[in-house]
Amino acid sequence: MDLAYMAELPQEEFVERRQKVLAKMQTNSALLLFSEIEKRRNNDCTFPFRQDSYFWYLTGFNEPNAALLLVKTEQFEKTIILLRPRDPLLETWNGRRLGVEWAPEKLNINEAYSIDDFNVVFPKITENLTALYYAPELHLWGDKLLSESAVNFAEILDWRPIISEMRLIKSPNEIRLMQQAGQITALAHIKAMQETRPNRFEYEIESEILHEFNRHGARFASYNSIVAGGDNACILHYTENDQPLKEGDLVLIDAGCEFAMYAGDITRTFPVNGKFTQAQREIYDLVLKAQKRAIELLVPGNSIKSVNDEVIRIKVQGLVDLGILQGNVESLIEQKAYRQFYMHGLGHWLGLDVHDVGEYGEERCRTLEVGMVLTVEPGLYISEDAKVPEQYRGIGVRIEDNLLITEYGNKILTAAVPKEIDAIENLMQKNEQFLKM
Ligand code: GLY
Ligand code: MN
Ligand code: MN
């Protein structure tokens, strides 16, 4: 098995990342980071294994029950991995292991030991070191191993600020993978539009999306897909996906693939029967207007907060124009009257995790920089029991794209899936023709 191929990233990139972390560590310190373990779903069945994103970022190694140790002294810097040893019987039952012997060469790491020997190896390697970089409570199995090893350090430091900042700015190789994740996710949303019709169940559309991810080389979704017909769209994290889609309703789909460990995250909202009603069109146009303005403004030097303030202004003005909110725009913003219809943020960092790591600054005031990737996802959610003109009730709309911040502004990684009303209706019109054949 070629790990470099699996990673879709050159081995050198993982080596460079470790070197960069080592350069930021103080002398006479170690950094300890644990992998994910298998999680039980029920009885002896497990969820599909997904590596911890930090561990992956520094190793490209996809097995459970492993630990990475970086050591920095006056004399040397070295990288050590502790991993599951080879075991022919267990491997026959549960799958192959890289093992201690091959790990240094395959992973470009100085030394490897069995994770079963952590209690012996860790105290020995860290003898005479003064500081340990560690992030407690990420992996309880790791916390337990560490406490059982009974090693004391003068100083415990958190490695998350160092590694999270590195993950926030994407390298050219990462950008290539994220473009691919965006592209595959876009194809799946197009497929969803083509396959949607009244009376299909939400999960049938979900399965079309997952199939499209798989067809293009993305084995998993990067989070549980949301396929929410009608009023279900007003439940932000609706994932039951078990209802039939109704004629005359909108459907909101929030789904993203995971390609080579990197996440896509797109939302589109469109009519189940392929044609927007007047009220749906009005709400949709307002969200689209806000989203397009946000994309113009999400450029180096601006912050998510400053752009979201503009989005809120556009939405409140629009809601007043439609008679959904009453009063003066400034005071409605002041009173946060829009919160009943727009109760989440404008977007988040995107990367190995769908809600990726990296500081946002107070109230998301952090200035955008070249190489960051984030989502832009304004929405409006008017539930069935909202006290608003009747035609607007039960309409939930979100439009979400993924942006790479560039020196010229930004690049939309998910532009391949339509969001203009005409383009969606044209695409879905073909569904009807297909049906009548
Ligand atoms: N799909 C999760 C989100 O949009 O934040
Ligand atoms: Mn998102
Ligand atoms: Mn999303």
Side-chain angles (χ1 to χ4, degrees), residues 223 254 265-267 377 398 400:
Y223 53 92
D254 185 344
D265 183 9
I266 297 181
T267 307
E377 50 181 301
R398 178 164 65 253
E400 176 175 28

Side-chain angles (χ1 to χ4, degrees), residues 222-224 226 236-237 254-256 264-267 347-348 354-355 375 377 398 400:
S222 57
Y223 53 92
N224 295 328
I226 297 169
L236 294 181
H237 291 156
D254 185 344
D265 183 9
I266 297 181
T267 307
H348 51 83
V354 63
H355 295 154
T375 67
E377 50 181 301
R398 178 164 65 253
E400 176 175 28

